[in-house]
Amino acid sequence: MENKTLSLDDQFQERIDRGENIEAKDWMPEKYRKTHIRQISQHGHSEIIGMLPEGNWISRAPSLRRKVALLAKVQDEAGHGLYLYSAAETLGISRDELMEQLNSGKAKYSSIFNYPTVSWADMGAVGWLVDGAAIINQVMLTKTSYGPYARAMVRICKEESFHQRQGYEIMLSLCNGAGVQKAMAQDALNRWWWPSIMMFGPRDEESPNTEQSMKWKIKKKTNDELRQQFVDQTVPQAEILGLSIPDKDLKWNEERGHYDFGIIDWEEFWNVVKGNGLMNEKRLKDRNAAWDEGQWVRNAALAYSEKQVERKAKKIA
Amino acid sequence: MNKEWPIWEVFIRSKNGLEHRHCGSLHAADAEMAIQNARDVYTRRQEGVSVWVVESKNITASNPTKNGEMFEPAADKVYRHPTFYVLPDEIKHM
Ligand SMILES: [Fe+2]
Ligand SMILES: [Fe+2]
């Protein structure tokens, strides 16, 4: 008995090592399934909650051009949430369960969305930095071993690059504008920089799941590798804007071929993860209100479709 | 009673001349709404010219644990491929 289980696990690992994708109906270790349900649903929840801080600015966008762009971006994020929920559902969790986990606060989502978006420049910083960081993670995930997750990522990555570009363009306009506008951009960068580099999660030594995730090819790079990649690509972008990154220890390391950067305030990170961020409560409250207020629509649509089926049956009879 | 909307599988033809391809799934109360939702979720950037939806429960799938008996019989039938037949090099257009 014991031996048989072991060999199934080994066979599974061999498939992964050969670079095969795992599909929904394939045998998989229970832990692989559970880890994926957790990770994919957290990812989906982040897309859904991520609409809130930006949705906040749609009606106050400074021009029609900015408004249609932001609206399209937020709509994309809803789509991303749906792709991911669909992928999670292939593993045997229902949409209602997923919603319940999010709305009850049981499920996590990216802590970055528990920071407030207080000025228009934040729409620039979020698109540039938050979507930028998400893209790095998501590009890696297009090669993840679970087929439905990988395919969702391919679709998402195609859509993300406009998100980052529209954010950067907002920053660029502000930085080329009046002094107060540039100051707004700098202020946004000051507030979003550290939370953005925290998005990649705890340091490798404090990330106990990394090893298993790498073995199963859920992740192909560690948190610290991804974070370094983000810093390296973002510093020159900040230079083009003429903004300074709020880290006095940030400097190019010739030997490593990478930027060195300062120590992250992990206490703040864990504090927000635990639910004590500025916006944790508000985000969940808004999410629950949206769900509750939509309930009658979902019920009515279902009642309508049931009635149509009945009518059709009567006509035939 | 709050009931979940059923799940639909979505197939999209990206342009005429190509087949419909499975692109994902979504929830909808009925077929008409499934088409509408598919349009909004999967064709926001002109990815399609035609959409099919089918309720997931109506799909019968082969069982991957039976893949051996299902697909391996084709593996040793090399004579189904053109390269199995040895012809002189001078033969053209064949
Ligand atoms: Fe997204
Ligand atoms: Fe995005």
Side-chain angles (χ1 to χ4, degrees):
Chain A
M1 205 60 204
E2 180 73 46
N3 265 331
K4 205 174 167 195
T5 331
L6 247 170
S7 94
L8 269 177
D9 275 328
D10 286 347
Q11 279 177 36
F12 181 81
Q13 189 59 50
E14 267 174 26
R15 294 189 60 194
I16 301 259
D17 294 343
R18 276 199 301 271
E20 277 183 46
N21 279 119
I22 306 303
E23 295 293 343
K25 298 255 154 54
D26 294 351
W27 184 88
M28 59 186 81
E30 218 25 53
K31 201 172 161 228
Y32 181 89
R33 178 185 303 277
K34 289 228 172 81
T35 303
H36 268 91
I37 290 180
R38 201 190 54 236
Q39 184 175 328
I40 299 172
S41 62
Q42 279 180 10
H43 195 161
H45 296 328
S46 303
E47 305 282 352
I48 297 298
I49 295 288
M51 290 192 281
L52 297 171
E54 289 179 296
N56 176 43
W57 279 93
I58 292 172
S59 62
R60 287 174 286 159
S63 69
L64 186 58
R65 187 175 189 275
R66 294 290 183 221
K67 187 171 178 155
V68 292
L70 189 58
L71 197 55
K73 176 185 192 294
V74 172
Q75 191 187 15
D76 274 355
E77 305 301 4
H80 298 175
L82 294 181
Y83 307 154
L84 286 157
Y85 286 154
S86 296
E89 287 172 85
T90 63
L91 292 163
I93 189 165
S94 73
R95 182 71 65 89
D96 275 356
E97 285 173 274
L98 290 167
M99 289 294 94
E100 196 277 327
Q101 290 179 353
L102 173 61
N103 293 348
S104 67
K106 207 167 20 167
K108 294 266 178 272
Y109 54 85
S110 179
S111 281
I112 193 80
F113 303 116
N114 289 322
Y115 290 84
T117 44
V118 299
S119 87
W120 171 252
D122 288 11
M123 295 303 97
V126 166
W128 172 35
L129 301 171
V130 176
D131 287 78
I135 289 169
I136 285 188
N137 194 38
Q138 292 177 152
V139 166
M140 169 189 74
L141 287 169
T142 59
K143 301 270 158 32
T144 194
S145 60
Y146 187 55
Y149 193 23
R151 290 192 288 276
M153 283 303 118
V154 170
R155 198 176 291 282
I156 286 175
C157 285
K158 273 190 203 150
E159 301 183 351
E160 282 293 349
S161 77
F162 122 71
H163 298 181
Q164 195 187 19
R165 288 173 70 102
Q166 67 91 37
Y168 194 78
E169 201 193 76
I170 290 171
M171 294 303 266
L172 209 54
S173 299
L174 290 169
C175 291
N176 291 331
V180 281
Q181 288 175 308
K182 187 161 185 186
M184 267 172 77
Q186 182 64 55
D187 169 63
L189 174 58
N190 292 348
R191 283 178 295 105
W192 289 96
W193 173 254
W194 290 101
S196 296
I197 64 171
M198 289 177 196
M199 279 175 73
F200 298 96
R203 273 172 305 187
D204 293 347
E205 347 34 305
E206 270 144 50
S207 175
N209 299 327
T210 296
E211 203 191 320
Q212 182 66 72
S213 292
M214 304 275 277
K215 205 172 147 219
W216 276 337
K217 296 191 183 162
I218 301 176
K219 294 180 71 139
K220 297 212 149 180
K221 291 179 184 169
T222 69
N223 295 353
D224 285 333
E225 285 169 339
L226 294 168
R227 188 168 11 248
Q228 183 71 60
Q229 190 184 334
F230 176 75
V231 172
D232 290 348
Q233 78 174 40
T234 309
V235 173
Q237 295 168 352
E239 279 164 10
I240 289 170
L241 292 172
L243 297 178
S244 50
I245 287 177
D247 177 357
K248 59 177 175 24
D249 297 315
L250 185 83
K251 64 170 183 298
W252 179 251
N253 183 325
E254 195 64 57
E255 215 173 292
R256 291 202 309 127
H258 292 291
Y259 283 94
D260 289 336
F261 51 93
I263 294 162
I264 292 171
D265 181 356
W266 292 109
E267 208 172 308
E268 175 187 319
F269 173 79
W270 289 113
N271 197 34
V272 182
V273 170
K274 283 184 191 122
N276 304 320
L278 277 170
M279 302 301 278
N280 294 58
E281 221 170 284
K282 166 110 173 89
R283 298 290 183 241
L284 270 194
K285 207 173 123 231
D286 289 349
R287 182 55 224 155
N288 274 282
W291 180 252
D292 294 343
E293 285 161 21
Q295 188 61 57
W296 73 270
V297 180
R298 293 190 295 278
N299 290 347
L302 209 53
Y304 173 79
S305 82
E306 279 162 5
K307 211 184 243 172
Q308 295 302 308
V309 173
E310 267 169 42
R311 278 206 189 133
K312 229 189 208 164
K314 250 187 223 157
K315 244 189 213 161
I316 293 166
Chain B
M1 232 305 270
N2 299 332
K3 238 170 68 192
E4 205 178 84
W5 287 349
I7 303 187
W8 300 74
E9 299 301 322
V10 180
F11 300 81
I12 294 197
R13 183 202 295 289
S14 57
K15 62 176 193 192
N16 277 5
L18 294 178
E19 66 279 68
H20 284 78
R21 265 179 83 168
H22 182 245
C23 70
S25 59
L26 47 76
H27 288 257
D30 56 29
E32 206 182 323
M33 187 195 280
I35 295 261
Q36 289 294 323
N37 288 357
R39 194 233 10 210
D40 292 342
V41 177
Y42 293 109
T43 67
R44 287 196 302 285
R45 290 176 177 80
Q46 298 183 288
E47 289 94 337
V49 295
S50 166
V51 178
W52 289 349
V53 293
V54 56
E55 219 182 308
S56 307
K57 67 170 191 213
N58 293 326
I59 290 185
T60 309
S62 65
N63 181 348
T65 62
K66 301 250 163 68
N67 270 10
E69 56 199 84
M70 186 81 172
F71 301 113
E72 270 164 27
D76 59 4
K77 297 184 175 49
V78 284
Y79 47 86
R80 287 176 177 168
H81 298 275
T83 46
F84 180 72
Y85 302 92
V86 187
L87 302 183
D89 288 347
E90 308 90 88
I91 302 286
K92 299 288 179 224
H93 310 296
M94 200 179 281

